[in-house]
Amino acid sequence: MDLPIGPIDHVAYPVADLPAMVGFLSRVLGARCTREPYRIDGAVAVQQVEVGDALLSLHRHGNGIDLAAPAAAPGCLDICFRWNAPIGTAVAHLAAVGVAVVEGPVPRRSATGEPGQSVYFRDPDGNLVELMSTLS
């Protein structure tokens, strides 16, 4: 059955320390805060950031919003971003911003089946973040 489903709109990302994660994602992935944060009782509960064409909704863990997966907690995410340059530039960038590579470059296949290479690293909560390039 062919349904009219498009690309993922956003990913909810539970985080332990919202300002620290925003800072990390800004420094490492160029994240931009382009929308006003969602507040509960004056405290920031959710901050949306744009990373490339992706939108991440960073949810402060324990923010009182019940509409979440039952096991959603900091460190539960494994996410991949496309790197639109050769993978060596991603490795060099991570080194320049002081982020240790956990694995890679290693061969991988993209969602569209293209051969590529990936590098993996961890964010402050221990989430696994992958940068994948299909460019040589």
Side-chain angles (χ1 to χ4, degrees):
M1 178 183 334
D2 191 20
L3 298 175
I5 301 207
I8 291 172
D9 184 77
H10 67 279
V11 173
Y13 196 135
V15 302
D17 182 331
L18 198 48
M21 188 63 75
V22 169
F24 177 85
L25 294 173
S26 297
R27 180 173 59 87
V28 177
L29 298 178
R32 301 166 315 281
C33 295
T34 59
R35 301 166 190 216
E36 287 298 313
Y38 177 73
R39 298 175 185 274
I40 297 177
D41 297 328
V44 176
V46 178
Q47 175 66 64
Q48 292 185 311
V49 298
E50 294 178 11
V51 177
D53 292 334
L55 180 65
L56 301 178
S57 288
L58 305 176
H59 287 242
R60 179 179 42 80
H61 188 62
N63 63 11
I65 298 173
D66 293 332
L67 192 57
C76 72
L77 195 65
D78 181 343
I79 192 166
C80 177
F81 295 97
R82 285 289 186 102
W83 184 263
N84 294 322
I87 202 66
T89 63
V91 172
H93 169 70
L94 293 172
V97 295
V99 173
V101 171
V102 173
E103 184 172 313
V106 292
R108 294 290 184 257
R109 286 225 174 261
S110 72
T112 57
E114 298 170 273
Q117 289 192 315
S118 292
V119 293
Y120 297 83
F121 61 95
R122 296 206 181 270
D123 72 12
D125 287 340
N127 294 297
L128 187 64
V129 182
E130 176 183 356
L131 298 176
M132 175 188 281
S133 173
T134 57
L135 304 173
S136 37

CSV table of all heavy atoms in Angstrom, one decimal, residues 18-77:
chain,number,residue,atom,x,y,z
A,18,LEU,N,19.6,20.6,29.4
A,18,LEU,CA,19.2,21.3,28.2
A,18,LEU,C,20.2,22.3,27.7
A,18,LEU,O,20.6,22.2,26.5
A,18,LEU,CB,17.8,21.9,28.3
A,18,LEU,CG,17.0,22.2,27.1
A,18,LEU,CD1,16.9,21.1,26.1
A,18,LEU,CD2,15.6,22.6,27.5
A,19,PRO,N,20.7,23.3,28.5
A,19,PRO,CA,21.7,24.2,28.0
A,19,PRO,C,23.0,23.6,27.5
A,19,PRO,O,23.5,24.0,26.5
A,19,PRO,CB,21.9,25.2,29.1
A,19,PRO,CG,20.7,25.0,30.0
A,19,PRO,CD,20.2,23.6,29.8
A,20,ALA,N,23.4,22.5,28.2
A,20,ALA,CA,24.6,21.9,27.8
A,20,ALA,C,24.5,21.1,26.5
A,20,ALA,O,25.4,21.2,25.6
A,20,ALA,CB,25.1,20.9,28.9
A,21,MET,N,23.3,20.5,26.3
A,21,MET,CA,23.1,19.8,25.0
A,21,MET,C,23.0,20.8,23.9
A,21,MET,O,23.5,20.6,22.8
A,21,MET,CB,21.9,18.9,25.1
A,21,MET,CG,21.7,18.0,23.9
A,21,MET,SD,23.1,16.8,23.7
A,21,MET,CE,22.7,15.6,24.9
A,22,VAL,N,22.3,21.9,24.1
A,22,VAL,CA,22.2,22.9,23.0
A,22,VAL,C,23.6,23.4,22.7
A,22,VAL,O,23.9,23.5,21.5
A,22,VAL,CB,21.2,24.1,23.4
A,22,VAL,CG1,21.4,25.3,22.5
A,22,VAL,CG2,19.8,23.6,23.5
A,23,GLY,N,24.4,23.7,23.7
A,23,GLY,CA,25.8,24.1,23.4
A,23,GLY,C,26.6,23.1,22.6
A,23,GLY,O,27.3,23.5,21.7
A,24,PHE,N,26.5,21.9,23.0
A,24,PHE,CA,27.2,20.8,22.4
A,24,PHE,C,26.8,20.7,20.9
A,24,PHE,O,27.6,20.6,20.0
A,24,PHE,CB,27.0,19.5,23.1
A,24,PHE,CG,27.7,18.3,22.4
A,24,PHE,CD1,29.0,18.0,22.7
A,24,PHE,CD2,27.0,17.5,21.6
A,24,PHE,CE1,29.7,16.9,22.1
A,24,PHE,CE2,27.6,16.4,21.0
A,24,PHE,CZ,29.0,16.1,21.2
A,25,LEU,N,25.5,20.6,20.7
A,25,LEU,CA,25.0,20.4,19.3
A,25,LEU,C,25.3,21.6,18.5
A,25,LEU,O,25.5,21.5,17.3
A,25,LEU,CB,23.5,20.1,19.3
A,25,LEU,CG,23.1,18.8,20.0
A,25,LEU,CD1,21.5,18.7,20.1
A,25,LEU,CD2,23.6,17.6,19.2
A,26,SER,N,25.3,22.8,19.1
A,26,SER,CA,25.7,24.0,18.3
A,26,SER,C,27.2,24.0,17.9
A,26,SER,O,27.5,24.2,16.7
A,26,SER,CB,25.4,25.3,19.2
A,26,SER,OG,24.1,25.4,19.4
A,27,ARG,N,28.0,23.6,18.8
A,27,ARG,CA,29.5,23.6,18.6
A,27,ARG,C,29.8,22.4,17.6
A,27,ARG,O,30.6,22.6,16.7
A,27,ARG,CB,30.2,23.4,19.9
A,27,ARG,CG,31.7,23.3,19.8
A,27,ARG,CD,32.3,23.3,21.2
A,27,ARG,NE,31.9,22.2,22.1
A,27,ARG,CZ,32.5,21.0,22.0
A,27,ARG,NH1,33.5,20.7,21.3
A,27,ARG,NH2,32.0,20.0,22.8
A,28,VAL,N,29.2,21.3,17.8
A,28,VAL,CA,29.6,20.1,17.0
A,28,VAL,C,28.9,19.9,15.7
A,28,VAL,O,29.5,19.6,14.7
A,28,VAL,CB,29.5,18.8,17.9
A,28,VAL,CG1,29.9,17.6,17.1
A,28,VAL,CG2,30.4,19.0,19.1
A,29,LEU,N,27.6,20.2,15.7
A,29,LEU,CA,26.8,20.0,14.5
A,29,LEU,C,26.2,21.3,13.9
A,29,LEU,O,25.4,21.2,13.0
A,29,LEU,CB,25.6,19.0,14.8
A,29,LEU,CG,26.1,17.6,15.3
A,29,LEU,CD1,24.9,16.7,15.6
A,29,LEU,CD2,26.9,17.0,14.2
A,30,GLY,N,26.5,22.4,14.5
A,30,GLY,CA,26.0,23.7,13.9
A,30,GLY,C,24.5,23.9,14.2
A,30,GLY,O,23.9,24.6,13.4
A,31,ALA,N,24.0,23.3,15.3
A,31,ALA,CA,22.6,23.4,15.6
A,31,ALA,C,22.2,24.9,15.8
A,31,ALA,O,23.0,25.7,16.3
A,31,ALA,CB,22.3,22.6,16.8
A,32,ARG,N,21.0,25.2,15.3
A,32,ARG,CA,20.5,26.6,15.5
A,32,ARG,C,19.2,26.6,16.2
A,32,ARG,O,18.3,25.8,15.9
A,32,ARG,CB,20.3,27.2,14.1
A,32,ARG,CG,21.6,27.2,13.3
A,32,ARG,CD,21.4,27.5,11.8
A,32,ARG,NE,20.3,26.8,11.1
A,32,ARG,CZ,20.4,25.5,10.7
A,32,ARG,NH1,21.4,24.8,10.9
A,32,ARG,NH2,19.3,25.0,10.1
A,33,CYS,N,19.1,27.5,17.2
A,33,CYS,CA,17.8,27.7,17.9
A,33,CYS,C,17.0,28.7,17.1
A,33,CYS,O,17.4,29.9,17.2
A,33,CYS,CB,18.0,28.1,19.3
A,33,CYS,SG,18.9,27.0,20.4
A,34,THR,N,16.0,28.3,16.4
A,34,THR,CA,15.3,29.2,15.5
A,34,THR,C,13.9,29.4,16.0
A,34,THR,O,13.1,30.2,15.4
A,34,THR,CB,15.2,28.7,14.1
A,34,THR,OG1,14.6,27.4,14.1
A,34,THR,CG2,16.6,28.6,13.5
A,35,ARG,N,13.5,28.7,17.1
A,35,ARG,CA,12.1,28.8,17.6
A,35,ARG,C,12.2,29.1,19.1
A,35,ARG,O,13.1,28.7,19.8
A,35,ARG,CB,11.4,27.5,17.4
A,35,ARG,CG,11.3,27.2,15.9
A,35,ARG,CD,10.9,25.8,15.6
A,35,ARG,NE,11.1,25.5,14.2
A,35,ARG,CZ,10.3,24.7,13.5
A,35,ARG,NH1,9.2,24.2,14.1
A,35,ARG,NH2,10.5,24.5,12.3
A,36,GLU,N,11.2,29.7,19.6
A,36,GLU,CA,11.1,30.0,21.0
A,36,GLU,C,10.9,28.7,21.8
A,36,GLU,O,10.2,27.8,21.3
A,36,GLU,CB,9.9,30.9,21.3
A,36,GLU,CG,10.0,32.3,20.8
A,36,GLU,CD,11.2,33.0,21.6
A,36,GLU,OE1,11.3,33.0,22.8
A,36,GLU,OE2,12.0,33.7,20.9
A,37,PRO,N,11.6,28.6,22.9
A,37,PRO,CA,11.4,27.4,23.7
A,37,PRO,C,10.0,27.3,24.3
A,37,PRO,O,9.3,28.3,24.5
A,37,PRO,CB,12.5,27.6,24.9
A,37,PRO,CG,12.7,29.0,24.9
A,37,PRO,CD,12.5,29.6,23.6
A,38,TYR,N,9.6,26.0,24.6
A,38,TYR,CA,8.4,25.8,25.2
A,38,TYR,C,8.6,25.7,26.7
A,38,TYR,O,9.5,25.0,27.2
A,38,TYR,CB,7.8,24.4,24.7
A,38,TYR,CG,6.5,24.0,25.4
A,38,TYR,CD1,5.3,24.7,25.1
A,38,TYR,CD2,6.5,23.0,26.3
A,38,TYR,CE1,4.1,24.4,25.7
A,38,TYR,CE2,5.3,22.7,26.9
A,38,TYR,CZ,4.1,23.3,26.7
A,38,TYR,OH,2.9,23.0,27.3
A,39,ARG,N,7.9,26.5,27.5
A,39,ARG,CA,8.1,26.6,28.9
A,39,ARG,C,6.9,26.0,29.7
A,39,ARG,O,5.8,26.1,29.2
A,39,ARG,CB,8.3,28.1,29.3
A,39,ARG,CG,9.5,28.7,28.7
A,39,ARG,CD,9.6,30.2,29.0
A,39,ARG,NE,10.7,30.8,28.3
A,39,ARG,CZ,11.9,30.8,28.7
A,39,ARG,NH1,12.3,30.3,29.9
A,39,ARG,NH2,12.9,31.4,28.0
A,40,ILE,N,7.2,25.4,30.8
A,40,ILE,CA,6.2,25.0,31.8
A,40,ILE,C,6.5,25.7,33.1
A,40,ILE,O,7.7,25.5,33.6
A,40,ILE,CB,6.2,23.5,31.9
A,40,ILE,CG1,5.8,22.8,30.6
A,40,ILE,CG2,5.2,23.1,33.1
A,40,ILE,CD1,5.8,21.3,30.7
A,41,ASP,N,5.6,26.5,33.6
A,41,ASP,CA,5.8,27.2,34.9
A,41,ASP,C,7.1,28.1,34.8
A,41,ASP,O,7.8,28.1,35.8
A,41,ASP,CB,5.8,26.3,36.1
A,41,ASP,CG,4.5,25.6,36.3
A,41,ASP,OD1,3.5,26.2,36.0
A,41,ASP,OD2,4.5,24.4,36.7
A,42,GLY,N,7.4,28.6,33.6
A,42,GLY,CA,8.5,29.5,33.5
A,42,GLY,C,9.8,28.8,33.1
A,42,GLY,O,10.8,29.5,32.7
A,43,ALA,N,9.9,27.5,33.4
A,43,ALA,CA,11.1,26.8,33.1
A,43,ALA,C,11.1,26.2,31.6
A,43,ALA,O,10.0,25.7,31.2
A,43,ALA,CB,11.3,25.7,34.1
A,44,VAL,N,12.2,26.3,30.9
A,44,VAL,CA,12.3,25.7,29.6
A,44,VAL,C,12.1,24.2,29.7
A,44,VAL,O,12.9,23.5,30.4
A,44,VAL,CB,13.6,26.1,28.9
A,44,VAL,CG1,13.7,25.4,27.5
A,44,VAL,CG2,13.7,27.6,28.7
A,45,ALA,N,11.1,23.7,29.0
A,45,ALA,CA,10.8,22.2,29.0
A,45,ALA,C,11.3,21.6,27.7
A,45,ALA,O,11.8,20.5,27.7
A,45,ALA,CB,9.4,21.9,29.2
A,46,VAL,N,11.2,22.4,26.6
A,46,VAL,CA,11.5,21.9,25.2
A,46,VAL,C,12.2,23.0,24.5
A,46,VAL,O,11.7,24.1,24.5
A,46,VAL,CB,10.3,21.4,24.5
A,46,VAL,CG1,10.7,20.9,23.1
A,46,VAL,CG2,9.6,20.3,25.2
A,47,GLN,N,13.3,22.7,23.8
A,47,GLN,CA,14.0,23.6,22.9
A,47,GLN,C,14.2,22.9,21.6
A,47,GLN,O,14.8,21.9,21.5
A,47,GLN,CB,15.3,24.1,23.5
A,47,GLN,CG,16.1,25.0,22.5
A,47,GLN,CD,15.4,26.3,22.3
A,47,GLN,OE1,15.3,27.1,23.2
A,47,GLN,NE2,15.0,26.6,21.1
A,48,GLN,N,13.6,23.5,20.5
A,48,GLN,CA,13.8,22.9,19.2
A,48,GLN,C,15.0,23.5,18.6
A,48,GLN,O,15.2,24.7,18.7
A,48,GLN,CB,12.6,23.1,18.3
A,48,GLN,CG,11.4,22.3,18.8
A,48,GLN,CD,10.2,22.4,17.9
A,48,GLN,OE1,9.8,23.5,17.5
A,48,GLN,NE2,9.6,21.3,17.5
A,49,VAL,N,15.8,22.7,18.0
A,49,VAL,CA,17.0,23.1,17.2
A,49,VAL,C,17.0,22.5,15.9
A,49,VAL,O,16.6,21.4,15.7
A,49,VAL,CB,18.3,22.8,18.0
A,49,VAL,CG1,18.4,23.5,19.3
A,49,VAL,CG2,18.5,21.3,18.1
A,50,GLU,N,17.6,23.3,14.9
A,50,GLU,CA,17.7,22.8,13.6
A,50,GLU,C,19.2,22.3,13.4
A,50,GLU,O,20.1,23.1,13.7
A,50,GLU,CB,17.4,23.9,12.5
A,50,GLU,CG,15.9,24.2,12.6
A,50,GLU,CD,15.6,25.4,11.6
A,50,GLU,OE1,16.4,25.7,10.7
A,50,GLU,OE2,14.5,25.9,11.7
A,51,VAL,N,19.3,21.1,12.8
A,51,VAL,CA,20.6,20.6,12.5
A,51,VAL,C,20.6,20.2,11.0
A,51,VAL,O,19.9,19.3,10.7
A,51,VAL,CB,21.0,19.4,13.4
A,51,VAL,CG1,22.3,18.8,12.9
A,51,VAL,CG2,21.0,19.7,14.8
A,52,GLY,N,21.2,21.0,10.2
A,52,GLY,CA,21.0,20.8,8.8
A,52,GLY,C,19.5,21.0,8.4
A,52,GLY,O,18.9,22.0,8.8
A,53,ASP,N,19.0,20.0,7.8
A,53,ASP,CA,17.5,20.0,7.4
A,53,ASP,C,16.7,19.3,8.5
A,53,ASP,O,15.5,19.1,8.3
A,53,ASP,CB,17.3,19.3,6.1
A,53,ASP,CG,17.9,20.1,4.9
A,53,ASP,OD1,18.0,21.3,5.0
A,53,ASP,OD2,18.2,19.5,3.9
A,54,ALA,N,17.3,18.8,9.6
A,54,ALA,CA,16.6,18.1,10.6
A,54,ALA,C,16.2,19.0,11.7
A,54,ALA,O,16.9,20.0,12.0
A,54,ALA,CB,17.5,17.0,11.2
A,55,LEU,N,15.1,18.6,12.3
A,55,LEU,CA,14.6,19.4,13.5
A,55,LEU,C,14.6,18.4,14.7
A,55,LEU,O,14.0,17.3,14.7
A,55,LEU,CB,13.2,19.9,13.3
A,55,LEU,CG,12.5,20.7,14.4
A,55,LEU,CD1,13.3,22.0,14.7
A,55,LEU,CD2,11.1,21.0,14.1
A,56,LEU,N,15.3,18.8,15.8
A,56,LEU,CA,15.3,18.1,17.0
A,56,LEU,C,14.6,18.8,18.1
A,56,LEU,O,14.8,20.0,18.3
A,56,LEU,CB,16.8,17.9,17.5
A,56,LEU,CG,17.7,17.2,16.5
A,56,LEU,CD1,19.1,17.1,17.1
A,56,LEU,CD2,17.2,15.8,16.2
A,57,SER,N,13.7,18.1,18.7
A,57,SER,CA,13.0,18.7,19.9
A,57,SER,C,13.7,18.2,21.1
A,57,SER,O,13.5,17.0,21.5
A,57,SER,CB,11.5,18.3,19.9
A,57,SER,OG,10.8,19.0,18.9
A,58,LEU,N,14.5,19.0,21.7
A,58,LEU,CA,15.2,18.6,22.9
A,58,LEU,C,14.3,18.8,24.1
A,58,LEU,O,13.9,19.9,24.5
A,58,LEU,CB,16.5,19.5,23.1
A,58,LEU,CG,17.4,19.5,21.9
A,58,LEU,CD1,18.6,20.5,22.1
A,58,LEU,CD2,17.9,18.2,21.5
A,59,HIS,N,14.0,17.6,24.7
A,59,HIS,CA,13.1,17.6,25.9
A,59,HIS,C,13.9,17.4,27.2
A,59,HIS,O,14.6,16.4,27.3
A,59,HIS,CB,12.1,16.4,25.8
A,59,HIS,CG,11.0,16.6,24.8
A,59,HIS,ND1,9.7,16.7,25.1
A,59,HIS,CD2,11.1,16.8,23.4
A,59,HIS,CE1,9.0,16.9,24.0
A,59,HIS,NE2,9.8,16.9,22.9
A,60,ARG,N,13.8,18.4,28.0
A,60,ARG,CA,14.5,18.3,29.3
A,60,ARG,C,13.8,17.1,30.1
A,60,ARG,O,12.6,17.1,30.2
A,60,ARG,CB,14.3,19.6,30.2
A,60,ARG,CG,15.0,19.5,31.5
A,60,ARG,CD,14.8,20.8,32.3
A,60,ARG,NE,13.5,21.5,32.2
A,60,ARG,CZ,12.4,21.1,32.9
A,60,ARG,NH1,12.5,20.1,33.8
A,60,ARG,NH2,11.3,21.8,32.8
A,61,HIS,N,14.6,16.1,30.5
A,61,HIS,CA,14.1,15.0,31.1
A,61,HIS,C,13.4,15.3,32.4
A,61,HIS,O,13.8,16.2,33.2
A,61,HIS,CB,15.3,14.0,31.5
A,61,HIS,CG,14.8,12.7,32.0
A,61,HIS,ND1,14.0,11.8,31.2
A,61,HIS,CD2,15.0,12.1,33.2
A,61,HIS,CE1,13.8,10.7,31.9
A,61,HIS,NE2,14.3,10.9,33.1
A,62,GLY,N,12.2,14.8,32.6
A,62,GLY,CA,11.4,15.1,33.8
A,62,GLY,C,10.7,16.4,33.6
A,62,GLY,O,10.3,17.0,34.6
A,63,ASN,N,10.4,16.8,32.4
A,63,ASN,CA,9.8,18.1,32.2
A,63,ASN,C,8.3,18.2,32.4
A,63,ASN,O,7.7,19.2,32.3
A,63,ASN,CB,10.1,18.7,30.8
A,63,ASN,CG,9.5,17.8,29.7
A,63,ASN,OD1,8.7,16.9,29.9
A,63,ASN,ND2,9.9,18.0,28.5
A,64,GLY,N,7.7,17.1,32.8
A,64,GLY,CA,6.2,17.0,33.1
A,64,GLY,C,5.4,16.8,31.9
A,64,GLY,O,4.1,16.7,32.0
A,65,ILE,N,5.9,16.6,30.7
A,65,ILE,CA,5.2,16.3,29.5
A,65,ILE,C,5.0,14.8,29.4
A,65,ILE,O,6.0,14.1,29.3
A,65,ILE,CB,5.8,16.9,28.2
A,65,ILE,CG1,5.9,18.4,28.3
A,65,ILE,CG2,5.1,16.5,27.0
A,65,ILE,CD1,6.7,19.1,27.2
A,66,ASP,N,3.8,14.4,29.4
A,66,ASP,CA,3.5,12.9,29.5
A,66,ASP,C,3.5,12.3,28.1
A,66,ASP,O,3.6,11.1,28.0
A,66,ASP,CB,2.1,12.6,30.1
A,66,ASP,CG,2.2,13.0,31.6
A,66,ASP,OD1,3.2,12.9,32.2
A,66,ASP,OD2,1.1,13.3,32.1
A,67,LEU,N,3.4,13.1,27.0
A,67,LEU,CA,3.4,12.5,25.7
A,67,LEU,C,4.8,12.2,25.2
A,67,LEU,O,5.4,13.0,24.5
A,67,LEU,CB,2.7,13.5,24.7
A,67,LEU,CG,2.3,13.0,23.4
A,67,LEU,CD1,1.3,11.8,23.5
A,67,LEU,CD2,1.7,14.1,22.5
A,68,ALA,N,5.2,11.0,25.7
A,68,ALA,CA,6.6,10.6,25.4
A,68,ALA,C,6.6,9.0,25.5
A,68,ALA,O,5.7,8.4,26.1
A,68,ALA,CB,7.6,11.2,26.3
A,69,ALA,N,7.6,8.4,24.9
A,69,ALA,CA,7.8,7.0,25.0
A,69,ALA,C,8.0,6.6,26.5
A,69,ALA,O,8.7,7.4,27.2
A,69,ALA,CB,8.9,6.5,24.2
A,70,PRO,N,7.5,5.5,26.9
A,70,PRO,CA,7.6,5.2,28.4
A,70,PRO,C,9.1,5.0,28.8
A,70,PRO,O,9.4,5.3,30.0
A,70,PRO,CB,6.9,3.8,28.5
A,70,PRO,CG,6.5,3.4,27.2
A,70,PRO,CD,6.7,4.5,26.2
A,71,ALA,N,10.0,4.6,28.0
A,71,ALA,CA,11.4,4.5,28.4
A,71,ALA,C,12.3,5.6,27.9
A,71,ALA,O,13.5,5.6,28.0
A,71,ALA,CB,11.9,3.2,27.8
A,72,ALA,N,11.7,6.7,27.4
A,72,ALA,CA,12.5,7.9,27.0
A,72,ALA,C,13.3,8.5,28.1
A,72,ALA,O,12.7,8.8,29.2
A,72,ALA,CB,11.6,8.9,26.4
A,73,ALA,N,14.6,8.5,27.9
A,73,ALA,CA,15.5,9.0,29.0
A,73,ALA,C,16.8,9.4,28.3
A,73,ALA,O,17.1,9.0,27.2
A,73,ALA,CB,15.8,7.9,30.0
A,74,PRO,N,17.5,10.3,28.9
A,74,PRO,CA,18.8,10.7,28.3
A,74,PRO,C,19.7,9.5,28.0
A,74,PRO,O,19.7,8.6,28.9
A,74,PRO,CB,19.4,11.6,29.4
A,74,PRO,CG,18.2,12.2,30.1
A,74,PRO,CD,17.2,11.1,30.1
A,75,GLY,N,20.3,9.5,26.9
A,75,GLY,CA,21.1,8.4,26.5
A,75,GLY,C,20.5,7.3,25.7
A,75,GLY,O,21.1,6.3,25.4
A,76,CYS,N,19.2,7.4,25.4
A,76,CYS,CA,18.4,6.4,24.7
A,76,CYS,C,18.5,6.5,23.1
A,76,CYS,O,17.9,5.6,22.4
A,76,CYS,CB,17.0,6.3,25.1
A,76,CYS,SG,16.0,7.7,24.5
A,77,LEU,N,19.1,7.5,22.6
A,77,LEU,CA,19.1,7.8,21.2
A,77,LEU,C,20.3,7.3,20.4
A,77,LEU,O,21.4,7.3,20.9
A,77,LEU,CB,19.0,9.3,21.0
A,77,LEU,CG,18.5,9.8,19.7
A,77,LEU,CD1,17.1,9.4,19.4
A,77,LEU,CD2,18.6,11.3,19.6
